[in-house]
Amino acid sequence: MAHAKLFTPFRVGELELANRIVIAPMCQYSAQDGRMTDWHLIHLGQLAFSGAALLTIEATAVVPEGRITYADVGLYSDETEAAMARVLESVRRWSDMPIAIQLAHAGRKASSEVPWKGGHQISPDHANGWQTEAPSAVPYAASDVAPTALDREGLERLRKAFAESARRAARLGIDAVQIHGAHGYLLHEFLSPLSNQRTDEYGGSLENRMRFPLEVFDAVRAAFPAERAVTMRVSGTDWAEGGWTIEETVAFAQALEARGCSGIHVSSGGLTSAQKIPVGPSYQVPLARAVKAATRMPVIAVGLITDYVQAESILATGDADLIALARAILYNPRWPWHAAAHFGASVKAPSQYLRSQPHQYPRLFDLRADD
């Protein structure tokens, strides 16, 4: 069998990846006042043994008000940094998988209940709630409390907050930063005309709507070590009339590339309840394909990629450079092992697990972790 592209090395900036499988950031809603807990040690620890090439820490708020829920992870204080440091120290003791972090602000979708309790907005006058902020005073749902429109002081405060979180990530030895510009959160809210109704230089034209997200990218890039990658996650389309489009995504990607962006992760949707998404296997891959055709930086595809052959075909046809797994790897934390077995490839496994190698796959664990 020809060597699968899924298990060929790849490079993002200066970061060397063992294969093309990356673990997407996935919120766990299990933090306490922004601080990681033992749940994160268990969650990240098991994924660090998965054989993927990169592990990305969930959406991490740069200010307390930027959390999606009261149980979100943050990196905005010495306490949140120390809690993350403890988790990372334990994970790294047993795994050398590179670790990235997604820095985020939820914008008007902040102050929400955790998903398994309904995920509805919590009003500012209730416990666990706070006043949200956004480009414009336009709520996500008609029943929500309207966000406060950010003024110039607010924009400067958040630019500095993103940069400070990037500096904290650097101190923690994080290998790469992904800036969250997707799924209807703050930076996506600036990009989309459905949520950005400003009349100043941050609203109106595409150039103006891109301005603040690009300023945030520049601030993070300047604050994070030059030799480490800074990437962006985007929604390729709002899937809604009058919303953000793939053509605008391509223009945004080109602007990011010109500023030194190391890669782009193409997702979609999340901005409006009016979205109409044609959900199905690989439904977001055409969006990644459009960005890849117009840029030279690495492109990550994501979204209902569950099958090994499906993932391989996305790479083989040149639609993307990397495959991100989220729910599929929660369901099967050894997805890369099974994919490698299918293609006759090898993955790194911890020494403690080497005896689990099936007899029919004698080279599955050729790449072994240090004792």
PDB file of all heavy atoms in Angstrom, residues 9 14 94 104 121 125 129 148 156 165 170 199 231 249 264 271 280 310 341 363:
ATOM      1  N   PRO A   9       4.930  13.750   7.505  1.00  0.00           N
ATOM      2  CA  PRO A   9       5.221  14.926   8.343  1.00  0.00           C
ATOM      3  C   PRO A   9       4.776  16.210   7.661  1.00  0.00           C
ATOM      4  O   PRO A   9       4.608  16.272   6.443  1.00  0.00           O
ATOM      5  CB  PRO A   9       6.748  14.877   8.508  1.00  0.00           C
ATOM      6  CG  PRO A   9       7.145  13.492   8.138  1.00  0.00           C
ATOM      7  CD  PRO A   9       6.156  13.029   7.128  1.00  0.00           C
ATOM      8  N   GLU A  14       7.635  27.107  12.139  1.00  0.00           N
ATOM      9  CA  GLU A  14       8.792  26.330  12.568  1.00  0.00           C
ATOM     10  C   GLU A  14       8.383  25.065  13.316  1.00  0.00           C
ATOM     11  O   GLU A  14       9.247  24.321  13.791  1.00  0.00           O
ATOM     12  CB  GLU A  14       9.695  27.197  13.465  1.00  0.00           C
ATOM     13  CG  GLU A  14      10.263  28.429  12.783  1.00  0.00           C
ATOM     14  CD  GLU A  14      11.137  28.057  11.599  1.00  0.00           C
ATOM     15  OE1 GLU A  14      11.987  27.153  11.742  1.00  0.00           O
ATOM     16  OE2 GLU A  14      10.966  28.661  10.515  1.00  0.00           O
ATOM     17  N   TRP A  94       4.479  12.914  30.456  1.00  0.00           N
ATOM     18  CA  TRP A  94       4.249  11.612  29.848  1.00  0.00           C
ATOM     19  C   TRP A  94       4.063  11.668  28.334  1.00  0.00           C
ATOM     20  O   TRP A  94       3.961  10.624  27.691  1.00  0.00           O
ATOM     21  CB  TRP A  94       3.015  10.973  30.486  1.00  0.00           C
ATOM     22  CG  TRP A  94       3.167  10.828  31.965  1.00  0.00           C
ATOM     23  CD1 TRP A  94       2.565  11.570  32.937  1.00  0.00           C
ATOM     24  CD2 TRP A  94       4.014   9.899  32.653  1.00  0.00           C
ATOM     25  NE1 TRP A  94       2.977  11.164  34.180  1.00  0.00           N
ATOM     26  CE2 TRP A  94       3.864  10.137  34.036  1.00  0.00           C
ATOM     27  CE3 TRP A  94       4.889   8.884  32.228  1.00  0.00           C
ATOM     28  CZ2 TRP A  94       4.551   9.398  34.999  1.00  0.00           C
ATOM     29  CZ3 TRP A  94       5.572   8.147  33.182  1.00  0.00           C
ATOM     30  CH2 TRP A  94       5.397   8.403  34.556  1.00  0.00           C
ATOM     31  N   ALA A 104      -9.510  33.327  22.807  1.00  0.00           N
ATOM     32  CA  ALA A 104     -10.855  33.649  22.349  1.00  0.00           C
ATOM     33  C   ALA A 104     -11.533  34.705  23.205  1.00  0.00           C
ATOM     34  O   ALA A 104     -11.142  34.969  24.340  1.00  0.00           O
ATOM     35  CB  ALA A 104     -11.699  32.377  22.350  1.00  0.00           C
ATOM     36  N   GLN A 121     -28.621  32.133  27.353  1.00  0.00           N
ATOM     37  CA  GLN A 121     -27.922  33.268  27.946  1.00  0.00           C
ATOM     38  C   GLN A 121     -28.368  33.453  29.402  1.00  0.00           C
ATOM     39  O   GLN A 121     -29.540  33.281  29.743  1.00  0.00           O
ATOM     40  CB  GLN A 121     -28.206  34.565  27.180  1.00  0.00           C
ATOM     41  CG  GLN A 121     -27.360  35.732  27.671  1.00  0.00           C
ATOM     42  CD  GLN A 121     -27.828  37.085  27.158  1.00  0.00           C
ATOM     43  OE1 GLN A 121     -28.928  37.524  27.454  1.00  0.00           O
ATOM     44  NE2 GLN A 121     -26.980  37.732  26.369  1.00  0.00           N
ATOM     45  N   ASP A 125     -28.042  40.221  35.745  1.00  0.00           N
ATOM     46  CA  ASP A 125     -28.496  40.347  37.133  1.00  0.00           C
ATOM     47  C   ASP A 125     -28.684  39.003  37.826  1.00  0.00           C
ATOM     48  O   ASP A 125     -29.200  38.949  38.945  1.00  0.00           O
ATOM     49  CB  ASP A 125     -29.793  41.166  37.206  1.00  0.00           C
ATOM     50  CG  ASP A 125     -30.916  40.563  36.378  1.00  0.00           C
ATOM     51  OD1 ASP A 125     -30.644  39.608  35.625  1.00  0.00           O
ATOM     52  OD2 ASP A 125     -32.054  41.044  36.487  1.00  0.00           O
ATOM     53  N   GLY A 129     -23.829  35.264  35.625  1.00  0.00           N
ATOM     54  CA  GLY A 129     -24.027  36.056  34.415  1.00  0.00           C
ATOM     55  C   GLY A 129     -23.298  37.378  34.473  1.00  0.00           C
ATOM     56  O   GLY A 129     -22.884  37.837  35.538  1.00  0.00           O
ATOM     57  N   THR A 148     -23.226  45.384  25.046  1.00  0.00           N
ATOM     58  CA  THR A 148     -22.731  46.761  24.986  1.00  0.00           C
ATOM     59  C   THR A 148     -21.819  46.898  23.781  1.00  0.00           C
ATOM     60  O   THR A 148     -20.938  46.059  23.564  1.00  0.00           O
ATOM     61  CB  THR A 148     -21.942  47.103  26.266  1.00  0.00           C
ATOM     62  OG1 THR A 148     -22.808  46.977  27.390  1.00  0.00           O
ATOM     63  CG2 THR A 148     -21.381  48.507  26.191  1.00  0.00           C
ATOM     64  N   GLU A 156      -9.188  48.882  22.556  1.00  0.00           N
ATOM     65  CA  GLU A 156      -7.790  48.896  22.983  1.00  0.00           C
ATOM     66  C   GLU A 156      -7.578  47.927  24.142  1.00  0.00           C
ATOM     67  O   GLU A 156      -6.567  47.209  24.192  1.00  0.00           O
ATOM     68  CB  GLU A 156      -7.384  50.311  23.401  1.00  0.00           C
ATOM     69  CG  GLU A 156      -5.955  50.440  23.917  1.00  0.00           C
ATOM     70  CD  GLU A 156      -4.898  50.030  22.894  1.00  0.00           C
ATOM     71  OE1 GLU A 156      -5.212  49.962  21.681  1.00  0.00           O
ATOM     72  OE2 GLU A 156      -3.754  49.784  23.309  1.00  0.00           O
ATOM     73  N   SER A 165      -2.527  37.545  27.002  1.00  0.00           N
ATOM     74  CA  SER A 165      -2.759  36.102  27.060  1.00  0.00           C
ATOM     75  C   SER A 165      -1.731  35.362  26.208  1.00  0.00           C
ATOM     76  O   SER A 165      -1.286  34.264  26.574  1.00  0.00           O
ATOM     77  CB  SER A 165      -4.176  35.766  26.599  1.00  0.00           C
ATOM     78  OG  SER A 165      -5.129  36.247  27.530  1.00  0.00           O
ATOM     79  N   ALA A 170       3.139  31.972  26.000  1.00  0.00           N
ATOM     80  CA  ALA A 170       4.560  31.807  25.706  1.00  0.00           C
ATOM     81  C   ALA A 170       5.317  31.357  26.950  1.00  0.00           C
ATOM     82  O   ALA A 170       6.184  30.477  26.890  1.00  0.00           O
ATOM     83  CB  ALA A 170       5.136  33.109  25.159  1.00  0.00           C
ATOM     84  N   THR A 199     -20.725  52.342  12.392  1.00  0.00           N
ATOM     85  CA  THR A 199     -20.598  53.363  11.348  1.00  0.00           C
ATOM     86  C   THR A 199     -19.238  54.039  11.382  1.00  0.00           C
ATOM     87  O   THR A 199     -19.000  54.982  10.629  1.00  0.00           O
ATOM     88  CB  THR A 199     -21.703  54.426  11.501  1.00  0.00           C
ATOM     89  OG1 THR A 199     -21.621  54.996  12.817  1.00  0.00           O
ATOM     90  CG2 THR A 199     -23.082  53.805  11.295  1.00  0.00           C
ATOM     91  N   THR A 231      -1.884  31.151  14.303  1.00  0.00           N
ATOM     92  CA  THR A 231      -2.841  30.832  13.256  1.00  0.00           C
ATOM     93  C   THR A 231      -4.200  31.449  13.604  1.00  0.00           C
ATOM     94  O   THR A 231      -4.381  31.998  14.674  1.00  0.00           O
ATOM     95  CB  THR A 231      -2.990  29.306  13.091  1.00  0.00           C
ATOM     96  OG1 THR A 231      -3.625  28.761  14.265  1.00  0.00           O
ATOM     97  CG2 THR A 231      -1.631  28.643  12.907  1.00  0.00           C
ATOM     98  N   THR A 249     -14.095  35.510   3.192  1.00  0.00           N
ATOM     99  CA  THR A 249     -13.132  34.695   3.931  1.00  0.00           C
ATOM    100  C   THR A 249     -11.811  34.619   3.197  1.00  0.00           C
ATOM    101  O   THR A 249     -10.729  34.715   3.808  1.00  0.00           O
ATOM    102  CB  THR A 249     -13.688  33.272   4.150  1.00  0.00           C
ATOM    103  OG1 THR A 249     -14.889  33.346   4.908  1.00  0.00           O
ATOM    104  CG2 THR A 249     -12.689  32.404   4.893  1.00  0.00           C
ATOM    105  N   ILE A 264      -4.430  28.602   8.652  1.00  0.00           N
ATOM    106  CA  ILE A 264      -5.827  28.992   8.844  1.00  0.00           C
ATOM    107  C   ILE A 264      -6.696  27.739   8.933  1.00  0.00           C
ATOM    108  O   ILE A 264      -6.561  26.802   8.142  1.00  0.00           O
ATOM    109  CB  ILE A 264      -6.298  29.938   7.719  1.00  0.00           C
ATOM    110  CG1 ILE A 264      -7.683  30.518   8.039  1.00  0.00           C
ATOM    111  CG2 ILE A 264      -6.254  29.260   6.359  1.00  0.00           C
ATOM    112  CD1 ILE A 264      -8.010  31.757   7.211  1.00  0.00           C
ATOM    113  N   LEU A 271     -22.937  32.225  13.758  1.00  0.00           N
ATOM    114  CA  LEU A 271     -23.200  33.640  14.002  1.00  0.00           C
ATOM    115  C   LEU A 271     -24.669  33.967  14.211  1.00  0.00           C
ATOM    116  O   LEU A 271     -25.009  34.877  14.953  1.00  0.00           O
ATOM    117  CB  LEU A 271     -22.650  34.495  12.859  1.00  0.00           C
ATOM    118  CG  LEU A 271     -22.775  35.982  13.166  1.00  0.00           C
ATOM    119  CD1 LEU A 271     -21.441  36.597  13.496  1.00  0.00           C
ATOM    120  CD2 LEU A 271     -23.482  36.731  12.054  1.00  0.00           C
ATOM    121  N   GLY A 280     -23.412  17.421   6.473  1.00  0.00           N
ATOM    122  CA  GLY A 280     -23.139  16.105   5.927  1.00  0.00           C
ATOM    123  C   GLY A 280     -21.654  15.870   5.969  1.00  0.00           C
ATOM    124  O   GLY A 280     -20.882  16.796   6.270  1.00  0.00           O
ATOM    125  N   GLN A 310     -11.898   8.961   4.161  1.00  0.00           N
ATOM    126  CA  GLN A 310     -12.416  10.320   3.938  1.00  0.00           C
ATOM    127  C   GLN A 310     -11.341  11.356   4.235  1.00  0.00           C
ATOM    128  O   GLN A 310     -11.097  12.275   3.440  1.00  0.00           O
ATOM    129  CB  GLN A 310     -13.629  10.538   4.843  1.00  0.00           C
ATOM    130  CG  GLN A 310     -14.206  11.948   4.834  1.00  0.00           C
ATOM    131  CD  GLN A 310     -15.173  12.162   5.992  1.00  0.00           C
ATOM    132  OE1 GLN A 310     -15.242  11.345   6.917  1.00  0.00           O
ATOM    133  NE2 GLN A 310     -15.911  13.256   5.938  1.00  0.00           N
ATOM    134  N   ALA A 341      -3.308   1.942  11.542  1.00  0.00           N
ATOM    135  CA  ALA A 341      -3.425   0.505  11.292  1.00  0.00           C
ATOM    136  C   ALA A 341      -4.067   0.246   9.927  1.00  0.00           C
ATOM    137  O   ALA A 341      -3.621  -0.626   9.171  1.00  0.00           O
ATOM    138  CB  ALA A 341      -4.251  -0.144  12.404  1.00  0.00           C
ATOM    139  N   ARG A 363       4.015  -3.158  12.893  1.00  0.00           N
ATOM    140  CA  ARG A 363       4.793  -1.917  12.805  1.00  0.00           C
ATOM    141  C   ARG A 363       3.991  -0.703  13.246  1.00  0.00           C
ATOM    142  O   ARG A 363       4.415   0.430  13.057  1.00  0.00           O
ATOM    143  CB  ARG A 363       5.284  -1.715  11.366  1.00  0.00           C
ATOM    144  CG  ARG A 363       6.220  -2.810  10.871  1.00  0.00           C
ATOM    145  CD  ARG A 363       6.827  -2.426   9.545  1.00  0.00           C
ATOM    146  NE  ARG A 363       7.572  -1.191   9.654  1.00  0.00           N
ATOM    147  CZ  ARG A 363       7.859  -0.387   8.623  1.00  0.00           C
ATOM    148  NH1 ARG A 363       7.432  -0.707   7.410  1.00  0.00           N
ATOM    149  NH2 ARG A 363       8.542   0.714   8.800  1.00  0.00           N
TER     150      ARG A 363
END
